[in-house]
């Protein structure tokens, strides 16, 4: 043979594409018609051939596996048995297809017993996949060695792709179709036949229905998956509160219970979850029960939110409705999946009716010959006596009575008992029945609407036999609303320590004092920790947490652990997925309105302006809020209407006031522009909106002052600014700068955790280039770490900025 030169890249490309298509079509992806992959189809077909039905005795799993392996699926007995086991697991399939006897594994991840020990037979519902298989309803192709035939698809009466779902990874693509409730899907099929549009189907199929129950939080991902073929949903365990403990009764789909318990134990040991005192797995044959024992005084809802954040008690499920349509992979919407199933069932019923019509015509033809024979029985008997053999008799009957070869053969095979009166009546009755059957089948095949009526009727029958109640509950977009309804929207003080401990305390815990007082304990801090920032807000507002790396995270205020004045709070890393970043600024937000902006300021004097609406979709791991230069950190965030005057204050007592319009609006991932040029060793401590008459500045040593806003001339951004306060001597470095009014109260936090609350009017109004007056009396080695301002009747300022103090500076 001549040698043909082929470029290696072409040969590799062709070989890889052949391999990829083989995996896609022959192994990994389900067919949209019966919802099965080849291995599952071959298992059911083999059990059908073995007569292994639900009302027959069990057969050894090894017998079924051997039948599949030897005849149709030469890919290894382990792969076949694993698939067979999954078809028998009630926690894997929504509607189990195989009735297993023996150990078929557990939700704890236990393996099934060896195939030689277990036994199987089909479930009744599986037989609905195989009905009419012998009526030429589907195509058969040669098996792998060409000795047998196997079906390319099963004539399934159940919309299996939706009902039991499918998961698989092919080459360059994957599928992950979730299971659904049979009753809901059947309703959608019937509604589609009746002419329903996509929106009607979406209403009938509210979402997936997992075999393990649990909750789906929100329907945004469901609608996306049903309309586009792809979507991400959040699935969550079902829990109950019992005597102050959390009891888990259902877990998310495909979560291993043993591994879930290990996750909880590890998270508690690593202090990523606090408040858990013990854990018991009390699950038995009657159901799942994992009891999470809480320490005294812990809020179960807060601990539950930590469990959702750090374990698979809550997880995401990525829906990819990818299946084979006409042998090619296609991403399908809900409407298309229902449409393809109805189209398939129309084909099955058409082929079945054609097969039955041909059978009925053949039988009628025979019956017509038998009627002729019975009408002329004496003459035919005489003819038979004269014939030398059967062939002569057939020829004679054909010549005399016009009988066909089949009719003549049927007469020759006729038993003498057919000559009795009752038998003759039976033949006449059957003749009439076949005539009626042929008429009905011809009418059916001539009317598409009648075929669809048959599809509808069979779907109704399947629904009546096998549908059950929904197991998975779909919650609103966030079940936080239900928790909110139980929590009053009271004013609270949220404090944040240098080591990342956060808590909320009722504002009533802090009574108003006179200027220069010692204050009350605001938090019991751990060694080397101190209160770094405080904010006054209300329970129902969103808290947006901004990190030094320029990312933003979301949290409802009421989800922050509540504590008394003496408690240290909980680590913020237990509430947010920070990934090693540090929270440096935060704001409270009622709603994400268009026309509102966030002004972000960095330690090195950069200012950026972003639309608030861009932060309206919370994500578990946070999103980019601003891109930072190397060595810079986000230090402050303020909410504005886009038309404010801003003042940036620095640690060394400088300040610059400029119009917000000078900072152009940019996208979330942009860097911003220069707000203030800093002197050597200086850095920004905060930014404030100049919408109140005075600028309040407080230094680390407890001194401060109010200065008329008018004393800070408005200049262009990017300048070095003017002197705000003297920082040498007794004052120390500036901690924070805020605009305040006479009727506001000021809450000052110290490094030792004490809180001083006083009226702004008690703080003297002094010029810019001055030292200020004592705000709080500090103990030895104690520093002011932060302050905030609020109107008693309104709930105060809704932004927080972490101070620039650090341990190295003597705190």
């Amino acid at each position: 043979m001549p040698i043909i030169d082929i470029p290696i890249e072409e040969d590799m490309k062709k070989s890889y594409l052949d391999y990829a298509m083989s995996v896609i079509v022959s192994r990994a992806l389900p067919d949209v018609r019966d919802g099965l992959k080849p291995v599952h189809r071959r298992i059911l077909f083999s059990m059908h051939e073995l007569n292994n039905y639900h009302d027959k005795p069990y057969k050894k799993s090894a017998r079924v596996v051997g039948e599949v392996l030897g005849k149709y699926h030469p890919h290894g007995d382990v792969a076949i048995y694993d698939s067979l086991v999954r078809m028998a697991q009630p926690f894997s399939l929504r509607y189990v297809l195989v009735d297993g006897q023996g150990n078929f594994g557990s939700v704890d991840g236990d393996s099934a017993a060896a195939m030689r020990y277990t036994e199987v037979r089909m479930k009744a519902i599986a037989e609905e996949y195989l009905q009419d298989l012998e009526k030429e309803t589907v195509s058969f192709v040669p098996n792998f060695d060409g000795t047998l035939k196997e079906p390319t698809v099963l004539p399934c009466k159940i919309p299996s792709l939706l009902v039991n779902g499918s998961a698989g990874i092919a080459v360059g693509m994957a599928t992950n179709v979730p299971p659904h409730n049979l009753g809901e899907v059947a309703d959608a099929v019937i509604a589609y036949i009746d002419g329903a549009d996509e929106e009607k189907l979406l209403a009938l199929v509210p979402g997936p229905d997992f075999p393990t129950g649990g909750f789906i939080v929100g329907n945004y991902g469901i609608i996306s998956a049903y309309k586009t073929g792809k979507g991400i949903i959040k699935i969550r365990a079902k829990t109950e509160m019992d005597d102050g403990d959390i009891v888990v009764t259902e877990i998310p789909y495909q979560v291993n219970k043993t591994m879930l318990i290990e996750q909880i134990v590890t998270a508690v040991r690593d202090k990523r979850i606090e408040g858990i005192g013990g854990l018991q797995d009390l699950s038995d044959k009657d159901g799942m029960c994992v009891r999470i024992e809480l320490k005294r005084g812990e809020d179960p809802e807060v601990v539950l939110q930590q469990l959702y954040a750090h374990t698979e008690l809550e997880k995401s499920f990525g829906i990819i409705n990818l299946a084979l349509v006409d042998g090619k992979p296609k991403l399908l919407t809900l409407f298309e999946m229902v449409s393809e199933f109805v189209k398939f069932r129309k084909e099955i019923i058409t082929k079945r009716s054609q097969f039955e019509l041909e059978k009925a015509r053949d039988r009628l033809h025979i019956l017509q010959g038998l009627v002729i024979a019975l009408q002329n029985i004496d003459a035919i008997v005489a003819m038979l006596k004269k014939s030398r053999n059967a062939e002569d008799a057939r020829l004679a009957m054909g010549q005399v009575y016009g009988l066909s070869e089949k009719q003549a053969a049927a007469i020759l095979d006729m038993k003498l008992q057919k000559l009795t009166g009752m038998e003759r009546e039976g033949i006449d009755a059957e003749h009439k029945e076949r005539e009626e059957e042929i008429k009905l089948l011809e009418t059916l095949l001539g009317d598409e609407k009648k075929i669809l009526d048959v599809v509808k009727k069979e779907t109704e029958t399947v629904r009546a036999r096998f549908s059950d109640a929904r197991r998975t509950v779909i919650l609103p977009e966030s079940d936080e609303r239900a928790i909110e309804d139980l929590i009053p929207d009271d004013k609270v003080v949220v404090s944040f320590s240098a080591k990342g401990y956060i808590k909320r305390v009722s504002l009533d815990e802090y009574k108003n004092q006179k200027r220069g007082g010692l204050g009350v304990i605001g938090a019991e801090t751990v060694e080397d920790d101190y209160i770094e920032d405080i904010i006054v807000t209300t329970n129902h507002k969103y808290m947006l947490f901004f990190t030094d790396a320029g990312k933003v995270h979301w949290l409802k205020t009421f989800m922050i652990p509540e504590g008394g004045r003496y408690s240290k709070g909980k680590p913020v890393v237990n509430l947010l997925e920070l990934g090693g970043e540090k929270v440096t600024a935060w704001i409270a937000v009622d709603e994400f309105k268009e026309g509102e902006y966030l002004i972000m300021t960095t330690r090195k004097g950069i200012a950026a302006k972003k639309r608030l609406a861009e932060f309206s979709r919370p994500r578990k791991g946070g999103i980019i809020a601003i891109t930072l230069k190397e060595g810079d950190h986000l230090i402050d965030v303020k909410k504005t209407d886009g038309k404010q005057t801003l003042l940036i204050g620095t640690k060394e007592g400088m300040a610059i006031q400029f119009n917000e319009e000078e900072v152009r609006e940019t996208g979330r991932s942009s860097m911003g522009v220069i707000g203030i040029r800093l002197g050597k060793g200086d850095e920004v401590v905060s930014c404030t909106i100049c919408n109140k008459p005075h600028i309040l500045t407080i230094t680390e040593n407890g001194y401060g002052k109010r200065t008329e806003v008018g004393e800070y001339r408005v200049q262009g951004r990017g300048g070095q600014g003017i002197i705000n306060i003297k920082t040498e001597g007794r004052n120390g470095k500036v901690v924070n700068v805020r605009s305040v009014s006479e009727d506001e109260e000021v809450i000052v936090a110290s490094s030792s955790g004490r809180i001083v609350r006083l009226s702004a009017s008690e703080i003297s109004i002094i010029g810019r280039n001055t030292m200020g007056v004592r705000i709080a009396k500090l103990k030895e080695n104690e520093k002011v770490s932060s302050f905030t301002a609020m109107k008693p009747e309104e709930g105060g300022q809704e932004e927080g900025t972490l101070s620039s103090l650090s341990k190295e500076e003597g705190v």
Side-chain angles (χ1 to χ4, degrees):
M1 291 180 62
I3 297 174
I4 302 173
D5 290 332
I6 301 174
I8 189 169
E9 59 269 20
E10 288 185 15
D11 187 57
M12 291 293 290
K13 181 179 179 181
K14 181 179 182 302
S15 299
Y16 188 77
L17 286 174
D18 290 344
Y19 160 72
M21 287 308 298
S22 173
V23 172
I24 289 167
V25 176
S26 303
R27 297 184 71 175
L29 298 186
D31 194 297
V32 70
R33 297 170 292 178
D34 63 4
L36 299 174
K37 298 179 187 178
V39 64
H40 304 115
R41 189 178 299 120
R42 288 163 175 166
I43 288 171
L44 290 179
F45 181 60
S46 295
M47 294 177 81
H48 166 72
E49 288 191 311
L50 289 170
N51 202 29
N52 192 200
Y53 295 117
H54 80 280
D55 53 354
K56 298 293 191 296
Y58 290 93
K59 293 186 185 296
K60 281 288 185 184
S61 299
R63 170 77 186 282
V64 175
V65 171
E67 189 82 2
V68 179
L69 178 67
K71 290 184 175 181
Y72 308 114
H73 198 76
H75 297 291
D77 59 335
V78 174
I80 297 168
Y81 185 53
D82 285 348
S83 298
L84 180 65
V85 165
R86 188 174 182 275
M87 294 167 75
Q89 291 175 332
F91 52 87
S92 292
L93 290 192
R94 181 62 179 83
Y95 297 91
V96 177
L97 301 178
V98 171
D99 181 6
Q101 185 167 262
N103 175 17
F104 278 82
S106 73
V107 75
D108 287 306
D110 301 316
S111 299
M115 69 179 82
R116 62 183 178 275
Y117 298 120
T118 59
E119 296 179 335
V120 293
R121 64 184 178 187
M122 271 192 279
K123 282 280 198 178
I125 193 172
E127 294 169 20
E128 300 294 330
Y129 284 68
L130 297 152
Q131 279 192 17
D132 306 322
L133 189 63
E134 286 79 17
K135 293 184 178 180
E136 298 179 2
T137 51
V138 296
S139 302
F140 279 71
V141 294
N143 69 337
F144 63 90
D145 61 4
T147 58
L148 298 167
K149 297 275 190 179
E150 62 173 312
T152 57
V153 67
L154 297 183
C156 184
K157 286 186 178 180
I158 295 166
S160 180
L161 182 63
L162 277 166
V163 166
N164 267 333
S166 185
I169 300 173
V171 179
M173 60 185 68
T175 185
N176 200 27
V177 184
H180 292 77
N181 184 272
L182 176 57
E184 294 170 356
V185 175
D187 287 341
V189 170
I190 293 166
Y192 174 82
I193 293 170
D194 290 339
D197 58 10
E198 183 179 41
E199 294 302 321
K200 177 65 174 177
L201 298 194
L202 291 176
L204 290 171
V205 185
D209 188 22
F210 296 107
T212 52
F215 295 112
I216 298 174
V217 183
N219 61 0
Y220 178 80
I222 297 172
I223 293 171
S224 173
Y226 287 169
K227 288 190 172 184
T228 68
K230 282 188 176 183
I232 298 175
I233 60 174
K234 188 188 295 181
I235 53 180
R236 179 181 289 179
K238 182 179 180 181
T239 58
E240 300 171 356
M241 303 302 171
D242 180 43
D243 196 23
D245 294 339
I246 299 169
V247 180
V248 180
T249 56
E250 296 173 3
I251 60 176
Y253 183 51
Q254 295 176 331
V255 168
N256 182 310
K257 177 160 66 69
T258 299
M259 292 183 67
L260 174 63
I261 291 170
E262 289 176 359
Q263 285 178 354
I264 296 172
V265 171
T266 302
V268 172
R269 186 184 63 222
D270 295 344
K271 299 190 182 301
R272 287 182 287 118
I273 297 178
E274 293 197 354
I276 295 177
L279 191 148
Q280 297 182 69
D281 186 1
L282 304 175
S283 307
D284 55 23
K285 60 184 178 62
D286 296 323
M288 185 176 297
C289 179
V290 178
R291 191 177 192 90
I292 302 170
E293 299 170 357
L294 304 188
K295 296 176 181 177
R296 182 176 296 179
E298 293 292 339
D299 185 343
E301 289 295 346
V302 172
V303 176
L304 197 55
Q305 294 300 324
Q306 296 179 48
L307 288 166
Y308 290 153
H310 298 287
T311 72
E312 285 195 319
L313 217 58
E314 178 179 281
K315 61 176 288 192
S316 294
F317 184 95
I319 300 175
I320 309 173
N321 295 329
L322 188 71
L324 296 174
V325 180
D326 298 327
K328 298 176 183 177
K330 182 180 178 182
L331 199 61
L332 298 162
T333 64
L334 174 67
F335 189 84
E336 288 171 330
M337 284 191 281
V338 173
S339 170
E340 289 292 338
F341 175 74
V342 172
K343 176 183 171 184
F344 171 60
R345 287 304 300 166
K346 277 173 56 183
E347 292 176 2
I348 294 297
I349 290 167
T350 300
K351 289 178 180 179
R352 182 184 72 191
S353 301
Q354 289 170 341
F355 175 84
E356 291 174 345
L357 179 60
E358 290 302 315
K359 287 289 184 183
R361 284 172 175 168
D362 287 346
R363 182 59 182 163
L364 181 64
H365 183 63
I366 297 299
L367 291 170
Q368 287 171 339
L370 293 178
V371 169
I372 291 171
L374 292 172
Q375 289 171 348
N376 302 278
I377 189 64
D378 294 334
I380 287 178
V381 170
M383 187 182 298
L384 291 175
K385 288 179 180 179
K386 294 178 183 178
S387 301
R388 293 175 57 194
N389 52 43
E391 184 63 29
D392 288 348
R394 274 198 296 270
L395 291 172
M397 283 188 285
Q399 290 171 356
V400 176
Y401 297 105
L403 297 174
S404 69
E405 190 173 324
K406 285 184 178 180
Q407 288 173 322
I411 293 168
L412 289 173
D413 292 337
M414 187 172 64
K415 295 180 181 180
L416 289 175
Q417 70 182 35
K418 295 289 184 183
L419 301 178
T420 63
M422 288 185 65
E423 289 287 342
R424 294 177 69 170
E425 288 175 6
I427 290 172
D428 289 337
E430 187 183 356
H431 183 272
K432 290 179 181 177
E433 285 177 12
R434 294 289 82 78
E435 285 182 328
E436 190 65 30
E437 181 185 359
I438 289 168
K439 186 186 295 183
L440 289 173
L441 288 169
E442 287 176 340
T443 304
L444 176 66
L445 288 168
D447 189 343
E448 183 182 4
K449 186 178 182 304
K450 290 185 180 296
I451 293 175
L452 288 173
D453 286 341
V454 175
V455 176
K456 184 176 175 180
K457 185 177 180 181
E458 291 184 351
T459 303
E460 288 171 343
T461 302
V462 166
R463 178 182 61 184
R465 284 190 66 193
F466 302 110
S467 67
D468 57 5
R470 166 173 276 275
R471 298 180 189 176
T472 302
V473 177
I474 300 175
L475 299 174
E477 191 61 40
S478 174
D479 65 345
E480 291 168 7
R481 179 58 57 190
I483 302 172
E484 277 187 36
D485 293 341
L486 303 175
I487 298 174
D489 195 21
D490 294 338
K491 297 174 188 175
V492 290
V493 175
V494 180
S495 63
F496 199 99
S497 79
K499 288 197 171 180
Y501 282 81
I502 189 171
K503 70 170 183 176
R504 63 185 169 95
V505 180
S506 172
L507 182 62
D508 295 336
E509 292 276 338
Y510 305 108
K511 63 183 180 181
N512 194 308
Q513 297 176 292
K514 297 295 182 182
R515 177 173 66 83
L518 280 170
V520 296
I521 293 294
E524 189 72 33
T525 55
V526 298
E527 187 179 358
D528 295 332
D529 197 10
Y530 55 91
I531 297 297
E532 202 170 32
D533 196 21
I534 53 176
I535 184 173
V536 179
T537 182
T538 60
N539 278 320
H540 290 188
K541 290 188 178 180
Y542 265 109
M543 298 292 296
L544 268 60
F545 294 85
F546 296 84
T547 70
D548 53 356
K551 291 184 73 175
V552 61
H553 300 258
W554 292 257
L555 199 66
K556 280 281 191 176
T557 303
F558 69 82
M559 295 171 70
I560 298 169
E562 185 175 15
R565 287 194 290 110
Y566 295 94
S567 65
K568 66 181 180 181
K570 301 289 184 184
V572 73
V573 293
N574 292 350
L575 308 176
L576 306 172
E577 293 186 4
L578 296 176
E581 299 169 19
K582 182 183 177 184
V583 173
T584 54
W586 46 356
I587 63 169
V589 178
D590 271 326
E591 52 186 313
F592 298 86
K593 298 177 182 177
E594 288 291 344
E596 290 189 334
Y597 300 88
L598 295 181
I599 295 293
M600 302 179 188
T601 314
T602 74
R603 193 180 295 275
K604 292 188 175 182
I606 299 297
K609 182 178 180 181
K610 322 276 184 176
R611 285 193 305 120
L612 179 62
E614 290 194 22
F615 301 89
S616 62
R617 289 200 175 278
R619 294 185 193 170
K620 202 168 183 179
I623 60 173
I624 293 292
I626 184 174
T627 300
L628 300 169
K629 291 182 179 179
E630 186 176 355
D632 200 2
H633 298 292
L634 181 62
I635 196 70
D636 198 1
V637 179
K638 291 290 183 289
K639 185 174 67 174
T640 77
D641 60 5
K643 302 173 183 178
Q644 299 296 324
T645 303
L646 307 174
L647 185 141
I648 295 176
T650 77
K651 182 174 70 172
E652 296 294 341
M654 301 298 290
I656 186 171
Q657 185 179 187
F658 58 91
N659 290 322
E660 183 184 343
E661 285 89 341
E662 292 199 37
V663 183
R664 67 179 183 276
E665 178 191 337
T666 56
R668 282 194 297 105
S669 58
S670 64
M671 296 182 69
V673 295
I674 296 175
I676 185 171
R677 296 187 186 275
L678 300 171
K680 187 176 180 181
D682 201 2
E683 59 187 41
V684 171
V685 293
S686 68
C687 174
T688 189
I689 301 170
C690 300
N691 56 355
K692 296 172 185 176
H694 304 122
I695 298 297
L696 173 60
T697 305
I698 297 180
T699 65
E700 61 184 351
N701 291 334
Y703 291 87
K705 65 182 179 67
R706 287 187 294 151
T707 303
E708 298 280 353
V709 170
E711 291 201 31
Y712 301 88
R713 70 176 187 276
V714 177
Q715 59 188 101
R717 66 161 182 85
Q720 292 182 345
I722 56 179
I723 295 174
N724 173 31
I725 191 172
K726 292 181 178 180
T727 58
E728 65 273 8
R730 67 175 192 183
N731 276 4
K733 307 301 183 186
V734 174
V735 169
N736 207 344
V737 175
R738 286 189 184 276
S739 62
V740 296
S741 55
E742 288 277 347
D743 55 351
E744 286 188 311
E745 292 184 342
V746 177
I747 298 177
V748 181
S750 78
S751 58
S752 61
R754 289 187 302 113
I755 298 289
V756 176
R757 179 176 173 183
L758 68 156
S759 297
S761 59
E762 294 185 49
I763 302 173
S764 302
I765 300 174
I766 311 174
R768 284 189 301 102
N769 194 5
T770 56
M771 297 290 288
V773 296
R774 185 187 294 277
I775 303 297
K777 188 182 293 184
L778 302 176
K779 298 177 181 179
E780 188 177 355
N781 295 326
E782 188 179 19
K783 300 284 186 182
V784 170
S785 56
S786 184
F787 76 85
T788 189
M790 55 161 281
K791 284 188 177 181
E793 71 278 6
E794 292 179 1
Q797 292 190 213
E798 299 170 348
E799 305 92 9
T801 306
L802 302 190
S803 77
S804 59
L805 294 178
S806 66
K807 185 178 176 183
E808 285 72 22
E809 292 172 304
V811 179

